[in-house]
Amino acid sequence: MMTTVEKIGQQAKEAAQVVAQLSIQDRNQILLSMAEALREQKSAIMAANQTDLENATALSGPMRNRLTLDDATIEGIATSLAAVADLDDPLAGPYENWEHPSGFKIIKKTVPLGVVAMVYEARPNVTVDAAALTFKSGNAVILRGGKEAIHSNIALAQVLRSVLTDHQLNPNIIQLITDTTHDSVNELLHLRQYVDVLIPRGSGSFIDFVVTNATVPVIETGAGNTHIFVDEDADQDQAIEVIVNAKTQKPAVCNAAEKLLIHEKIAAEFLPKVASALIEAGVELRGDDQAVAIDGRLSLATPIDWDTEYNDLIMAIKVVTDIDAAIDWINAHTTHHSETILGKNSQHVADFMNRVDAAVVYQNVSSRFTDGFEFGFGAEIGISTQKLHARGPMGLPALTTIKYEVFGDGQTRH
Amino acid sequence: MMTTVEKIGQQAKEAAQVVAQLSIQDRNQILLSMAEALREQKSAIMAANQTDLENATALSGPMRNRLTLDDATIEGIATSLAAVADLDDPLAGPYENWEHPSGFKIIKKTVPLGVVAMVYEARPNVTVDAAALTFKSGNAVILRGGKEAIHSNIALAQVLRSVLTDHQLNPNIIQLITDTTHDSVNELLHLRQYVDVLIPRGSGSFIDFVVTNATVPVIETGAGNTHIFVDEDADQDQAIEVIVNAKTQKPAVCNAAEKLLIHEKIAAEFLPKVASALIEAGVELRGDDQAVAIDGRLSLATPIDWDTEYNDLIMAIKVVTDIDAAIDWINAHTTHHSETILGKNSQHVADFMNRVDAAVVYQNVSSRFTDGFEFGFGAEIGISTQKLHARGPMGLPALTTIKYEVFGDGQTRH
């Protein structure tokens, strides 16, 4: 007897064959119909969301905001969905092809991954985003959102699925797991027979849990303990602007700066200046012994600080002896997301770029730009912090794989 | 206190920064020196191999052959190693690059993965192959070969490492784990801090064990329960040639055919003909009820047969009603390696190509061609049966990843 999650997996695998065959015209037309349907079903969606909001009395302000669906957010979701129709088809050729000396032809095609599973927090917009991007790239999707958003997610998924049915398509191209206990996530992590890739979104500890326990293939996303190193020759005014932007422009996201390393030769001069700017912007500062000795406004950091992604207006500052010490420190504490050097010495910059082990490495730019839209990809399914398959901001091509098609007339190997 | 395997991991991570910086000229020069050194140290290697052979009294003939190093095999290994120097640099540009509207530049570079771990059976040639390919692509490698080859592997690794030392390089670019108990494999599977990817080679059950237990990223390789479907309009003489080649030309490898599906409309005519050819070539035949009813020389297959990779001169034959039944059967039993249709109906071929979920899908060609050299990649580190990162025969590019380098002059996000 199959469990509900297994049944969903089996249905997704079947539906994957259907969506993989749709022309790009059909996929785009359906995306536009989905956007329209979301607008038409607005009141039903908002009513469901109201139930979630009433149940979610324990949620903090920012979490509550992310959960709320009103006229403006639903319009925003519909607009984003329609925008996916405008993106290039990630499955389109031309494909590489060549001939074997014996005369058969090999075509290296781009094809959908198959069944993509997404596990995410209480953000109903992700339900639609993920469904749109996986559909555009020819995949079936299994969605498992946070329990606080369950009524909203059911309403949204229902709208998207009804559009599939209206187009005489298998609605199981898009499925939502409505069991919001941990059991359903655990089952999903082990559904190797049906799930081609699982993309987890959420806290660093949740993603760690997924990577450690999953037997299905996973793309690790998001955790960002990101550093900025200020070299001795940095333009100090520019450095302060970049640091304040990277730390405070949106502190709760993964590409926000968390740690500041300052070359010891400029620390006595630069640290108080940047500290003043950060404090004025509302940032709580912590530091190592040397940093605290230079500026008494910093509290002493504990060892755990150096590996913590605050996602908040907090920053820890450390004084380092030179570029090598900065690189070694970063490589020991990085989550491989985004790392920055502020400075002009071309040898130091080259060393930093070459040796720091991160998806994106910046010189004199705010790390807040690590983002699929800012990188020009037109979409973002997440930011990969791993090295296999996809690294950094992931656009539609991250949801595809390849397949070799070989056409011959009886060739055998000798 | 670090364990030996942890220490090896840490050393590999350090050494990875060194090898990643070497010019392609240096990498190629060192590969040629390694080939020369293997030839010079031939007697020491053969002496070590002799110890392995004396200890390996329990090994079967083919396994013993794979373990044996004599003049010819060492010359072959040295020649293959030198040939890696001739391959294109997988890290070479040109790299994609573009400008953000705010004026900073993004370069999408190709970079090494970092630390590659290989776990493999008692084939000492893999020690050298894997070291050469990972070195060429700028990676450090951790090798863990089968216990029967341990003395040979120590001798080979010693030769390669001494060449690194002679070139004033960190010898830990190439490391061999000499603990051949299961403990060292288990530790390696969980060395997330140091291992960027682990590539297992060996039996299907071993690879399953690795995928199920590893927390480090894994590229699944090799298992091949490969099928051939003979459609009703196949050229029957050609089909027999292809089937006999795919089954018998090298039955112990992953791209050899294991199962034969025959369209019921031609089964009564075709099955006895192909069975005669296979029996003549020494193949033991099993079949489902229908196949056995047609040809009494087949024994009845058990359910386990349909999911077994024989790697031997055995084949199971099944009669199917049509192309859809063939595709569904294959998708339920495939190991996603190589699958073949023999036939001419262009709609059937297109359906088969599109819907069969495998790395390589063939029309009228022997699946024995699924191989990095036959595909023109010049090298092969394994054959991926997964969809993330690499699929099918893996050449040098499978050992690389990307990194975004961003250069600006103070850009901030608003």
Side-chain angles (χ1 to χ4, degrees):
Chain A
M1 176 71 187
M2 274 196 169
T3 67
T4 307
V5 173
E6 280 173 334
K7 182 83 188 152
I8 287 173
Q10 191 192 44
Q11 291 174 168
K13 203 77 185 171
E14 278 171 30
Q17 287 197 19
V18 177
V19 59
Q21 309 297 317
L22 293 176
S23 71
I24 184 62
Q25 290 76 17
D26 285 346
R27 278 177 275 146
N28 289 340
Q29 184 50 55
I30 290 165
L31 287 167
L32 294 174
S33 301
M34 287 176 176
E36 212 37 61
L38 286 176
R39 291 182 177 113
E40 282 164 13
Q41 304 292 319
K42 200 164 57 175
S43 8
I45 295 166
M46 281 163 63
N49 184 245
Q50 197 52 42
T51 309
D52 284 333
L53 289 170
E54 281 162 17
N55 292 343
T57 48
L59 279 193
S60 69
M63 299 280 275
R64 212 176 164 78
N65 281 346
R66 299 202 303 188
L67 177 56
T68 303
L69 296 175
D70 55 22
D71 274 307
T73 49
I74 293 175
E75 179 52 35
I77 290 170
T79 306
S80 299
L81 200 160
V84 174
D86 283 336
L87 298 176
D88 288 342
D89 180 8
L91 306 176
Y95 309 121
E96 271 184 79
N97 70 85
W98 62 97
E99 214 176 277
H100 185 268
S102 71
F104 63 76
K105 188 173 178 182
I106 304 176
I107 303 177
K108 184 182 176 181
K109 274 187 85 170
T110 304
V111 298
L113 284 169
V115 176
V116 177
M118 294 274 306
V119 183
Y120 50 101
E121 60 284 61
R123 298 173 61 178
N125 64 306
V126 175
T127 302
V128 182
D129 278 1
L133 296 174
T134 50
F135 183 79
K136 173 83 180 198
S137 47
N139 294 286
V141 71
I142 299 174
L143 302 160
R144 166 58 174 79
K147 65 174 183 304
E148 298 84 355
I150 184 65
H151 295 92
S152 314
N153 286 340
I154 289 173
L156 291 166
Q158 184 44 42
V159 172
L160 303 179
R161 284 166 59 91
S162 67
V163 173
L164 294 170
T165 308
D166 289 348
H167 284 78
Q168 279 80 50
L169 289 173
N170 184 339
N172 294 328
I173 290 169
I174 299 172
Q175 291 181 96
L176 177 75
I177 294 178
T178 56
D179 170 5
T180 57
T181 66
H182 288 303
D183 293 350
S184 67
V185 173
N186 274 324
E187 260 198 276
L188 203 49
L189 296 189
H190 295 92
L191 218 57
R192 281 185 71 199
Q193 200 180 346
Y194 302 120
V195 172
D196 290 296
V197 62
L198 184 140
I199 304 177
R201 289 172 48 155
S203 68
S205 59
F206 173 67
I207 289 164
D208 254 2
F209 170 81
V210 169
V211 171
T212 311
N213 289 284
T215 57
V216 298
V218 171
I219 299 182
E220 215 175 324
T221 69
N225 184 31
T226 71
H227 300 75
I228 300 175
F229 167 57
V230 187
D231 204 0
E232 54 183 320
D233 67 347
D235 175 329
Q236 296 192 10
D237 292 339
Q238 187 188 84
I240 290 169
E241 273 186 54
V242 170
I243 293 163
V244 171
N245 182 264
K247 179 67 248 179
T248 68
Q249 198 249 345
K250 201 167 182 184
V253 295
C254 58
N255 59 19
E258 302 287 4
K259 303 295 173 320
L260 181 60
L261 309 181
I262 302 177
H263 194 293
E264 66 176 4
K265 282 207 185 137
I266 59 163
E269 177 198 358
F270 180 69
L271 198 156
K273 287 198 291 185
V274 71
S276 294
L278 286 164
I279 290 167
E280 192 174 324
V283 180
E284 178 199 329
L285 296 178
R286 302 175 187 174
D288 69 348
D289 292 335
Q290 258 185 291
V292 172
I294 291 170
D295 193 327
R297 294 173 294 177
L298 280 59
S299 64
L300 192 63
T302 61
I304 211 172
D305 271 289
W306 306 109
D307 291 303
T308 300
E309 183 180 5
Y310 301 118
N311 281 330
D312 202 348
L313 287 172
I314 306 170
M315 187 169 226
I317 304 178
K318 184 180 171 60
V319 177
V320 293
T321 50
D322 58 15
I323 175 80
D324 287 326
I327 292 171
D328 290 345
W329 181 270
I330 290 172
N331 280 337
H333 299 274
T334 183
T335 53
H336 312 287
H337 190 296
S338 300
E339 302 295 354
T340 306
I341 180 171
L342 305 179
K344 293 178 287 234
N345 181 308
S346 57
Q347 185 55 55
H348 289 187
V349 172
D351 277 356
F352 194 90
M353 293 279 163
N354 287 330
R355 289 172 48 205
V356 167
D357 194 12
V360 189
V361 191
Y362 289 95
Q363 179 201 15
N364 299 335
V365 177
S366 166
S367 60
R368 285 280 297 116
F369 287 103
T370 302
D371 175 286
F373 296 92
E374 295 294 338
F375 270 44
F377 301 162
E380 181 181 288
I381 190 84
I383 294 173
S384 163
T385 55
Q386 66 180 33
K387 293 183 182 177
L388 292 191
H389 188 68
R391 199 178 194 197
M394 293 188 285
L396 291 170
L399 296 171
T400 69
T401 182
I402 58 151
K403 180 189 233 176
Y404 294 101
E405 294 186 355
V406 179
F407 301 91
D409 48 13
Q411 282 82 358
T412 54
R413 190 166 166 188
H414 303 289
Chain B
M1 177 70 189
M2 277 195 164
T3 67
T4 306
V5 173
E6 280 173 333
K7 183 82 189 156
I8 286 173
Q10 190 191 45
Q11 290 174 169
K13 202 77 184 170
E14 279 170 28
Q17 287 197 18
V18 176
V19 61
Q21 309 297 316
L22 293 177
S23 71
I24 184 61
Q25 290 75 20
D26 285 347
R27 278 178 274 145
N28 289 340
Q29 184 49 56
I30 291 164
L31 287 168
L32 295 174
S33 301
M34 286 175 175
E36 211 37 58
L38 287 175
R39 292 179 176 114
E40 281 164 12
Q41 304 291 319
K42 201 165 57 176
S43 11
I45 295 166
M46 282 164 62
N49 183 248
Q50 197 51 44
T51 307
D52 285 333
L53 288 170
E54 281 161 16
N55 293 341
T57 47
L59 279 193
S60 69
M63 300 280 275
R64 209 174 166 79
N65 279 347
R66 300 202 305 187
L67 176 57
T68 303
L69 296 174
D70 55 21
D71 274 308
T73 50
I74 294 176
E75 178 53 34
I77 290 170
T79 305
S80 300
L81 200 160
V84 174
D86 281 336
L87 298 176
D88 288 342
D89 180 8
L91 306 175
Y95 308 121
E96 270 184 80
N97 69 86
W98 63 97
E99 214 176 277
H100 185 268
S102 72
F104 63 76
K105 187 173 180 182
I106 304 176
I107 303 177
K108 184 181 177 182
K109 274 186 85 170
T110 306
V111 299
L113 285 169
V115 175
V116 177
M118 294 276 304
V119 183
Y120 50 101
E121 61 282 63
R123 297 172 61 180
N125 64 307
V126 175
T127 302
V128 181
D129 277 1
L133 295 174
T134 52
F135 183 80
K136 173 83 179 200
S137 48
N139 294 285
V141 71
I142 299 174
L143 302 160
R144 166 57 174 81
K147 66 174 183 302
E148 298 83 356
I150 184 65
H151 296 94
S152 314
N153 287 339
I154 289 173
L156 291 166
Q158 182 47 41
V159 172
L160 303 179
R161 284 166 59 90
S162 68
V163 173
L164 294 170
T165 308
D166 290 348
H167 284 78
Q168 279 78 51
L169 289 173
N170 184 338
N172 294 329
I173 291 169
I174 299 171
Q175 291 180 94
L176 176 76
I177 295 179
T178 56
D179 170 5
T180 57
T181 67
H182 289 303
D183 293 349
S184 68
V185 173
N186 274 322
E187 261 199 275
L188 202 51
L189 296 189
H190 295 93
L191 218 57
R192 280 186 69 199
Q193 200 179 348
Y194 303 120
V195 171
D196 290 297
V197 62
L198 184 141
I199 304 176
R201 291 176 40 160
S203 67
S205 60
F206 173 67
I207 288 165
D208 255 2
F209 170 80
V210 168
V211 171
T212 310
N213 289 283
T215 58
V216 298
V218 170
I219 299 181
E220 218 175 321
T221 68
N225 184 32
T226 70
H227 301 75
I228 299 175
F229 166 57
V230 188
D231 204 2
E232 53 183 318
D233 66 347
D235 175 329
Q236 296 192 11
D237 292 339
Q238 188 187 84
I240 291 169
E241 271 186 55
V242 170
I243 293 163
V244 171
N245 182 264
K247 178 67 247 178
T248 68
Q249 198 247 345
K250 202 168 181 183
V253 296
C254 57
N255 59 20
E258 302 287 4
K259 304 293 172 320
L260 181 60
L261 309 181
I262 301 176
H263 195 294
E264 65 177 5
K265 285 209 185 136
I266 58 164
E269 174 196 2
F270 180 68
L271 200 156
K273 286 198 292 183
V274 70
S276 294
L278 286 164
I279 290 166
E280 191 174 325
V283 181
E284 176 199 330
L285 296 178
R286 304 175 187 175
D288 69 349
D289 292 335
Q290 259 185 290
V292 172
I294 292 169
D295 192 328
R297 293 174 294 177
L298 279 58
S299 63
L300 192 63
T302 60
I304 211 173
D305 271 288
W306 306 109
D307 292 303
T308 299
E309 183 181 5
Y310 302 118
N311 281 329
D312 203 350
L313 287 173
I314 307 171
M315 187 170 226
I317 303 178
K318 184 179 170 62
V319 177
V320 293
T321 51
D322 58 15
I323 174 82
D324 287 326
I327 292 172
D328 290 345
W329 179 270
I330 290 172
N331 280 336
H333 298 276
T334 181
T335 53
H336 312 288
H337 190 298
S338 300
E339 302 295 354
T340 305
I341 180 171
L342 305 180
K344 292 179 286 238
N345 180 308
S346 58
Q347 186 55 53
H348 289 188
V349 172
D351 277 356
F352 194 89
M353 293 280 164
N354 288 330
R355 289 172 49 206
V356 168
D357 194 12
V360 189
V361 192
Y362 289 93
Q363 179 200 15
N364 299 336
V365 178
S366 165
S367 60
R368 285 280 297 119
F369 286 104
T370 301
D371 174 286
F373 296 92
E374 295 294 337
F375 270 45
F377 302 162
E380 181 181 289
I381 191 83
I383 293 173
S384 165
T385 54
Q386 66 180 35
K387 293 183 181 177
L388 293 190
H389 189 69
R391 200 176 194 198
M394 294 188 285
L396 291 169
L399 296 171
T400 69
T401 181
I402 59 150
K403 180 190 232 176
Y404 294 102
E405 295 187 353
V406 179
F407 300 90
D409 47 11
Q411 281 83 356
T412 54
R413 187 164 168 190
H414 302 290

